[in-house]
Amino acid sequence: MKKIITLSLLSALAIVSAGCAQEEAMNDNDETTEGEETELNNNEDNNGNNNEEPDSDEITDENDELNNEGNEEQAANEADDEDNASEEAYQPAEPLYEVAGPENNFIVRPIEGSGADEEVVLLTIDDSFLSANFQYALDMAEILQEHDANAIFFINGQLLSSEEEQDRLRELHEMGVEIGNHTMHHHNLSELSEEEQREEIVKLNDIIEEVTGERPRFFRAPYGVNPEYTQEVVEEEGMQWMNWTYGYDWEPDYLEAEPLAEIMVETPLLGNGANLLIHDREHTKDALADIITGLRDKGYEIVDPALIK
């Protein structure tokens, strides 16, 4: 019996000794492994594959980033919705007027049944961008804006190869005025071949559309000369051609602002729908505000070209 007890005690002591030795060996191994794990974790961080749970600051930063992305996406969606709503809300103006032919001095008149006011006049401004000497189109557009009026600016194309002139044209269009076609080079079209007539008209339409995004709806020939072939091209292009009822700013007696403003309002040619011709000139620019005011004092409103068929 004593022998059995002695053997049991010896076995227990052997187990305890072995356990202590194993624990000491494991602690030694832990010191080495800890360094290896640190290097491994650093490598995992550098490779973006660290699976350790981020601390609270990292979570907050990540949530903020996600919230910002969500807000940006929401703002973009709202902007798209506004754009779509704006596009849906915008409708081209319903035409109320039409341009009469030469037998009626190219007046603008109400379309039958439209109920539009007859006491209107149309302002048209020729020779914009014809040469470097004529630089008043933007000033005239500002004057029109200040007086809540509009006009057709008949543009020439000979300077529009310049980026600066294209920027001016773009700015003029963005001010809301109607851009018309006055040919590329202001030639008398009756002196040109059919091919040249087409080039003078279509090339300018292409340039204006490229710069402004819109193709001209109105055409005026230099000197009012409209050969039969020119009229055919204009019709193919879907434009309305017109000359004018009266104009004076090229005549010697009206090369200053005051007499020009007076004759434009007091002429016996003024009447319902009169198609008024003025030019991109300094003295005309200086007279424009008085012309608008004088016409309204006479009971005429300036028709918006957008309302013309």
Side-chain angles (χ1 to χ4, degrees):
M1 185 69 170
K2 289 182 179 179
K3 184 177 181 179
I4 293 173
I5 292 173
T6 300
L7 290 173
S8 297
L9 289 174
L10 289 174
S11 297
L13 289 173
I15 291 172
V16 171
S17 298
C20 291
Q22 183 179 4
E23 181 178 359
E24 183 177 355
M26 288 179 65
N27 288 337
D28 291 341
N29 288 337
D30 284 346
E31 291 177 2
T32 303
T33 303
E34 184 178 357
E36 291 175 351
E37 284 182 354
T38 301
E39 182 177 357
L40 178 61
N41 288 337
N42 286 338
N43 289 334
E44 288 175 345
D45 286 342
N46 291 334
N47 292 327
N49 295 321
N50 188 1
N51 292 321
E52 291 181 358
E53 183 177 355
D55 60 27
S56 60
D57 290 338
E58 291 174 342
I59 294 174
T60 301
D61 291 342
E62 183 176 352
N63 287 338
D64 287 344
E65 183 177 352
L66 291 173
N67 288 335
N68 289 335
E69 290 177 357
N71 291 336
E72 290 174 1
E73 183 177 357
Q74 181 179 357
N77 290 336
E78 290 175 354
D80 289 340
D81 291 341
E82 289 177 2
D83 289 342
N84 292 333
S86 177
E87 290 176 2
E88 291 174 1
Y90 172 75
Q91 295 293 332
E94 184 71 23
L96 299 177
Y97 296 90
E98 61 185 2
V99 178
E103 68 281 359
N104 289 301
N105 289 325
F106 301 96
I107 65 170
V108 292
R109 59 191 178 192
I111 296 173
E112 186 176 356
S114 68
D117 187 3
E118 294 184 350
E119 292 184 285
V120 298
V121 295
L122 173 64
L123 278 178
T124 64
I125 302 170
D126 279 16
D127 293 354
S128 293
F129 298 48
L130 176 61
S131 74
N133 294 327
F134 308 144
Q135 301 291 330
Y136 303 104
L138 293 175
D139 294 334
M140 297 174 86
E142 288 181 1
I143 293 169
L144 288 167
Q145 282 186 333
E146 291 168 2
H147 289 80
D148 194 22
N150 209 332
I152 302 174
F153 283 71
F154 283 103
I155 302 296
N156 294 99
Q158 59 193 30
L159 299 180
L160 286 177
S161 59
S162 158
E163 184 174 339
E164 180 182 358
E165 291 300 296
Q166 290 186 9
D167 288 341
R168 269 203 330 134
L169 176 59
R170 189 175 294 108
E171 183 177 354
L172 184 64
H173 174 261
E174 289 172 353
M175 294 176 75
V177 302
E178 186 89 28
I179 305 296
N181 183 319
H182 200 38
T183 74
M184 283 295 299
H185 300 97
H186 205 271
H187 295 316
N188 185 325
L189 294 173
S190 67
E191 299 174 355
L192 303 181
S193 68
E194 290 186 351
E195 182 180 351
E196 290 170 331
Q197 291 177 49
R198 178 177 291 276
E199 178 82 359
E200 283 288 312
I201 298 166
V202 176
K203 183 176 181 180
L204 181 55
N205 275 355
D206 291 343
I207 293 173
I208 291 174
E209 183 177 27
E210 182 179 354
V211 173
T212 69
E214 294 183 12
R215 209 163 180 82
R217 300 191 303 123
F218 299 102
F219 173 78
R220 175 172 282 157
Y223 315 107
V225 178
N226 293 271
E228 183 176 346
Y229 184 73
T230 289
Q231 295 180 45
E232 291 177 8
V233 174
V234 169
E235 184 176 352
E236 289 174 9
E237 287 288 298
M239 292 188 290
Q240 168 68 58
W241 74 276
M242 67 175 74
N243 284 349
W244 56 90
T245 306
Y246 69 83
Y248 295 93
D249 63 355
W250 62 92
E251 296 185 4
D253 291 340
Y254 306 109
L255 298 181
E256 295 182 4
E258 186 175 348
L260 175 60
E262 182 178 355
I263 190 63
M264 291 296 291
V265 174
E266 299 299 336
T267 176
L269 297 176
L270 175 61
N272 289 348
N275 191 326
L276 278 55
L277 169 60
I278 57 179
H279 290 81
D280 183 347
R281 305 284 193 277
E282 184 175 15
H283 69 287
T284 308
K285 180 260 298 181
D286 293 340
L288 183 55
D290 288 338
I291 291 172
I292 295 170
T293 301
L295 290 168
R296 285 174 171 164
D297 288 344
K298 287 278 189 177
Y300 298 98
E301 189 48 69
I302 315 299
V303 68
D304 186 345
L307 299 178
I308 300 174
K309 181 179 177 180

